Amino acid sequence: MRLVSIDVDGSEIPAAVVTAPDGVDRVLDLREVADATTLVEVLADEARLAVVREAVTKAEADADTATLPTLDSVHLAPPVRPRTILCLGYNYRGHLEGGETDPEHPNVFVKTPGVIASPQDPVTIWSSTPQVDYEGEIAVVIGRRAWRVSEADALAHVAGYALFNDVSDRDWQSRTNQWALGKSVDGFGPLGPWIVTTDEVSDLAGRDVEVERNGVVTVRSSTDAMVFGVAFLVHHLSQIITLEPGDIISTGTPARSDEAQAVHTPITDGDVVTVRVTGLGELTTRFVAEQPA
């Protein structure tokens, strides 16, 4: 299933994307279907998920579904508002720190909750952030509380996957030997456009990862190049941090191609970045310069 949150008059309501019999993606409001006010409530409850799954299956076969609002007519909010955002650096072979030897432990950093942004809203290049950069990633969305879980049981705690643009400011990142400031600028974390649940995407094996900047492919890789997989990451991180429903683990970015890196410049006003992953869809982010007050 593809699950989203929709901004309706400032409230973020849970919904499912259904492909109507006419082939158009439409939006099914889940508030009454699942007796839930947020998408996290749906993701964290197997009974609610089962009800939603049945409703989506029915809607996709029902001619009346053509009366539902189209996906392109609604404004998407971030699908979840995570309490904790844990990110991986150098988690793809070909993009490893210090050579091509797999690291013993994951290189983990945090982004603060204020980075989370709608998948449809532009990201502001602030006057205080002169070296904005982008990284297309896959976010693991937690569905069940995870505390010291085994690797064998870890995937049972995953609700699904979303796309994530780990936007950074390299100037702030270089001012300290910790990455948090450069990674935690307000709005520097578009997430979505939806969460694909694990009944549709059970794991991340064999998926193509592609990132474009202004229509030019700068990253092309496969999830098979990941050093640390989803099950290990959930297990490893839950040994010391309680992962709650709606929290995300962003699994890192592959390296840019040598050609793209050779001509790379900071993001500027009007740039458009698209992250595309097989089975998860695509996330397109437009960047705009901060307007004078």
Side-chain angles (χ1 to χ4, degrees), residues 129-206:
T129 55
Q131 293 185 18
V132 175
D133 203 352
Y134 64 94
E135 293 181 342
E137 308 193 2
I138 302 170
V140 178
V141 183
I142 299 299
R144 287 175 48 205
R145 186 176 186 268
W147 168 242
R148 294 185 177 177
V149 301
S150 68
E151 188 171 355
D153 187 46
L155 290 181
H157 296 261
V158 175
Y161 305 96
L163 301 180
F164 188 59
N165 192 335
D166 173 22
V167 183
S168 312
D169 181 77
R170 302 304 188 191
D171 177 57
W172 281 91
Q173 188 175 334
S174 67
R175 296 184 188 188
T176 171
N177 61 4
Q178 303 295 317
W179 293 359
L181 288 180
K183 294 288 187 177
S184 297
V185 180
D186 284 356
F188 276 24
L191 178 69
W194 43 62
I195 295 169
V196 180
T197 53
T198 53
D199 60 329
E200 185 168 332
V201 174
S202 58
D203 61 48
L204 294 183

Side-chain angles (χ1 to χ4, degrees), residues 15-252:
V17 179
V18 297
T19 302
D22 60 4
V24 176
D25 278 345
R26 297 178 181 272
V27 177
L28 177 66
D29 188 332
L30 296 181
R31 286 176 292 183
E32 292 187 9
V33 170
D35 187 27
T37 58
T38 69
L39 190 54
V40 169
E41 290 176 346
V42 177
L43 297 173
D45 189 323
E46 287 296 330
R48 284 188 169 114
L49 279 170
V51 169
V52 169
R53 194 173 296 115
E54 182 178 353
V56 168
T57 300
K58 179 180 178 182
E60 292 189 333
D62 190 342
D64 288 343
T65 302
T67 63
L68 294 174
T70 60
L71 179 61
D72 61 9
S73 72
V74 302
H75 185 73
L76 296 179
V80 292
R81 296 280 183 179
R83 177 191 68 103
T84 299
I85 305 166
L86 299 169
C87 303
L88 275 290
Y90 306 113
N91 194 38
Y92 276 78
R93 296 180 182 92
H95 188 215
L96 299 179
E97 187 177 35
E100 292 304 306
T101 302
D102 287 357
E104 183 179 358
H105 303 291
N107 191 334
V108 182
F109 62 91
V110 300
K111 289 174 81 82
T112 51
V115 305
I116 294 297
S118 160
Q120 294 178 325
D121 289 345
V123 168
T124 299
I125 304 168
W126 304 107
S127 58
S128 56
T129 55
Q131 293 185 18
V132 175
D133 203 352
Y134 64 94
E135 293 181 342
E137 308 193 2
I138 302 170
V140 178
V141 183
I142 299 299
R144 287 175 48 205
R145 186 176 186 268
W147 168 242
R148 294 185 177 177
V149 301
S150 68
E151 188 171 355
D153 187 46
L155 290 181
H157 296 261
V158 175
Y161 305 96
L163 301 180
F164 188 59
N165 192 335
D166 173 22
V167 183
S168 312
D169 181 77
R170 302 304 188 191
D171 177 57
W172 281 91
Q173 188 175 334
S174 67
R175 296 184 188 188
T176 171
N177 61 4
Q178 303 295 317
W179 293 359
L181 288 180
K183 294 288 187 177
S184 297
V185 180
D186 284 356
F188 276 24
L191 178 69
W194 43 62
I195 295 169
V196 180
T197 53
T198 53
D199 60 329
E200 185 168 332
V201 174
S202 58
D203 61 48
L204 294 183
R207 299 183 183 275
D208 294 331
V209 179
E210 192 173 84
V211 184
E212 292 182 358
R213 178 180 180 179
N214 299 330
V216 177
V217 175
T218 59
V219 173
R220 184 176 282 121
S221 187
S222 165
T223 52
D224 289 342
M226 288 173 58
V227 178
F228 298 103
V230 175
F232 177 79
L233 291 172
V234 173
H235 153 71
H236 177 74
L237 295 169
S238 74
Q239 301 309 300
I240 57 169
I241 297 172
T242 302
L243 302 173
E244 298 286 358
D247 287 348
I248 65 172
I249 302 168
S250 198
T251 53

